[in-house]
Amino acid sequence: MEGAGVGAGDWRAQPHAIVERDGVRFTLLGTAHVSRESVDAVRAAIDGGGFDTVAVELDPQRFQSLTDPDALAKLDLVQVIRSGRTALFAANLGLAAYQRRLAEQLGIEPGAELKAAALEARARGLDMRLVDRDVGITFKRASQRLGWWGRAKLAGGLVVALFDDEEVAGEEIEKLKQGDMLEASFSEFAGHDPALYDAVIAERDRYMAANLRSIALERAAGGNDAREVLAVVGAGHLRGLARHLRDDDVAPDILRADLETVAEKSSIPWFTIGLAVFLLGGFAWGFWHGGVAVGTDLLLYWVLLTGGLGAIGCAVAGGHPLSILAAFVSSPVTPLHPALASGMVSALVEARVRKPTYADFMALREDVNSIRGWWRNRVARVLLNFFLTSMGTAIGVWIGGARILHKLLG
């Protein structure tokens, strides 16, 4: 059964579907993530729908960011850098900046109806489930599907979103009213791509359906009393979620494990090995055929170029003198190590020497909306340090490698 309408007084006039499975009746309520009407419909459904369980299209990370204003302040920035999650953290800032623009333009927080569903359920003592896939996994699987050029567009779009203060186009807002926040965000940054849709929408339909089926299986095993479940999801998920909830037969835990798998990079760092062989071979050739003068010249050129450009990138980011020194020392070496980057080294030094304060974390979302704010905020400056140092080193690697190749061929 499906319905559609515009009234919020009777929530049943909103887009919805009802699926009965394994002794549980699931009512899927399709919402618009930027609509006050959807907030009212969610509250009306929980008030009078007779539901004992409320499932929400959120994962723990998104739920925390919606409901806990201090979530950023609890972040361990040093651990983020050391664990290689700096790019993901920056991507989340880009998504947050996009959503802030929407909130300022429309006067309503994107996802307000999801937040209302979760908080209303808890306030009434109902069983509340977060059924969406972790946004970090979705981001990784989506970026892997895009290919090199798609990932470049996505990264560029996220960077632009951090500084862009223009209004969101009307057609994008209409898509948000009919679809999904993550889909609209990714499409804003990376354009439209079938692989992107599959990772951001279709896979999450299956994932959320598996989580809802788990509720029914728990009941069948005597693990809970769920009979009437309200699932609050973006309207773009309604049809696919209902279909998978009715038809999927694969065990939920197996399906979730498959949809949470992120393809690992090759365990053999071929690029790093190739670069190391090329450089060390070039230096050895210089010493063997050109003598100490030529070999020393090549080695010194490599150190000064990569170290100098890495240090310049760190300085442009407003790095502390110790961070600049760390960038200079690490930049000639880290290209030969698959697990290290000069930006990681200098950013770690920056985060320890100029440790971000509680106020920096609290002001982060506001500060990254202006160019000056990136240099004023210590958290944002650490991110700048990471990216600009890495960029400087990468440029140095290409120029230095070209110089060695020229010597070898000349």
Side-chain angles (χ1 to χ4, degrees):
M1 169 183 174
E2 296 188 9
V6 295
D10 179 8
W11 64 267
R12 293 175 182 82
Q14 296 292 306
H16 69 281
I18 296 176
V19 177
E20 295 192 24
R21 180 162 182 170
D22 300 324
V24 178
R25 186 161 78 160
F26 297 93
T27 300
L28 313 179
L29 179 58
T31 64
H33 292 319
V34 288
S35 167
R36 293 188 183 279
E37 190 175 78
S38 286
V39 176
D40 294 338
V42 165
R43 288 177 173 154
I46 295 175
D47 281 345
F51 301 104
D52 48 57
T53 302
V54 176
V56 188
E57 183 208 319
L58 288 173
D59 65 285
Q61 180 179 323
R62 291 171 65 202
F63 175 70
Q64 184 181 35
S65 66
L66 278 175
T67 58
D68 183 1
D70 294 340
L72 273 177
K74 300 173 183 176
L75 187 71
D76 185 344
L77 187 58
V78 171
Q79 183 58 33
V80 168
I81 298 170
R82 293 180 64 181
S83 61
R85 291 183 287 126
T86 310
L88 180 58
F89 178 54
N92 281 327
L93 284 183
L95 293 174
Y98 173 70
Q99 292 178 16
R100 177 183 287 273
R101 286 160 56 202
L102 283 171
E104 292 173 350
Q105 184 174 337
L106 303 175
I108 183 170
E109 178 185 26
E113 89 289 2
L114 302 178
K115 176 180 177 180
L119 295 183
E120 286 285 326
R122 284 190 169 180
R124 297 174 184 277
L126 303 177
D127 183 19
M128 193 276 289
R129 305 291 185 100
L130 304 176
V131 295
D132 204 358
R133 184 172 62 186
D134 179 87
V135 67
I137 294 175
T138 295
F139 179 82
K140 290 177 182 177
R141 286 179 66 101
S143 62
Q144 286 181 345
R145 296 283 191 89
L146 288 174
W148 182 86
W149 176 240
R151 286 194 293 271
K153 288 196 297 180
L154 176 60
L158 288 166
V159 170
V160 170
L162 292 169
F163 299 99
D164 192 5
D165 58 359
E166 294 184 2
E167 289 191 349
V168 180
E171 60 182 21
E172 293 299 325
I173 294 174
E174 288 305 313
K175 290 178 184 176
L176 274 173
K177 291 179 179 178
Q178 302 169 18
D180 173 78
M181 174 61 69
L182 289 183
E183 180 193 21
S185 301
F186 275 92
S187 296
E188 168 83 2
F189 305 140
H192 301 280
D193 188 289
L196 186 68
Y197 175 87
D198 186 59
V200 178
I201 297 296
E203 286 189 356
R204 288 169 57 222
D205 287 346
R206 295 167 61 203
Y207 190 90
M208 289 190 286
N211 275 331
L212 292 177
R213 288 167 52 213
S214 291
I215 298 175
L217 293 177
E218 288 173 19
R219 170 174 166 72
N224 67 47
D225 298 323
R227 291 180 180 273
E228 293 283 348
V229 176
L230 173 68
V232 180
V233 298
H237 290 286
L238 190 58
R239 190 176 299 276
L241 179 56
R243 183 178 70 254
H244 288 295
L245 187 56
R246 282 192 299 263
D247 300 337
D248 285 356
D249 293 320
V250 179
D253 56 342
I254 294 176
L255 188 55
R256 283 194 300 262
D258 179 58
L259 295 173
E260 288 174 348
T261 301
V262 177
E264 296 184 1
K265 295 181 180 179
S266 172
S267 58
I268 302 176
W270 293 112
F271 178 81
T272 303
I273 291 174
L275 180 62
V277 170
F278 170 72
L279 289 176
L280 297 177
F283 296 146
W285 178 92
F287 280 105
W288 182 262
H289 290 279
V292 174
V294 174
T296 302
D297 177 67
L298 287 176
L299 186 59
L300 187 61
Y301 188 86
W302 171 264
V303 170
L304 292 179
L305 190 65
T306 55
L309 289 177
I312 289 172
C314 184
V316 171
H320 187 277
L322 288 178
S323 303
I324 297 173
L325 178 61
F328 180 83
V329 172
S330 63
S331 290
V333 180
T334 51
L336 307 180
H337 194 295
L340 285 179
S342 57
M344 178 186 295
V345 175
S346 62
L348 281 171
V349 173
E350 183 72 21
R352 291 187 182 279
V353 175
R354 290 173 171 165
K355 188 173 182 179
T357 65
Y358 178 84
D360 288 315
F361 279 101
M362 296 309 297
L364 181 59
R365 285 198 176 101
E366 183 67 33
D367 286 342
V368 296
N369 284 324
S370 68
I371 294 179
R372 182 176 297 180
W374 275 86
W375 275 262
R376 179 176 63 245
N377 188 290
R378 291 189 175 191
V379 179
R381 194 161 55 200
V382 168
L383 293 177
L384 275 179
N385 191 313
F386 178 89
F387 289 111
L388 294 184
T389 300
S390 298
M391 183 183 299
T393 302
I395 294 172
V397 168
W398 284 107
I399 298 176
R403 170 65 180 271
I404 294 173
L405 184 61
H406 177 73
K407 281 286 187 180
L408 291 174
L409 296 177

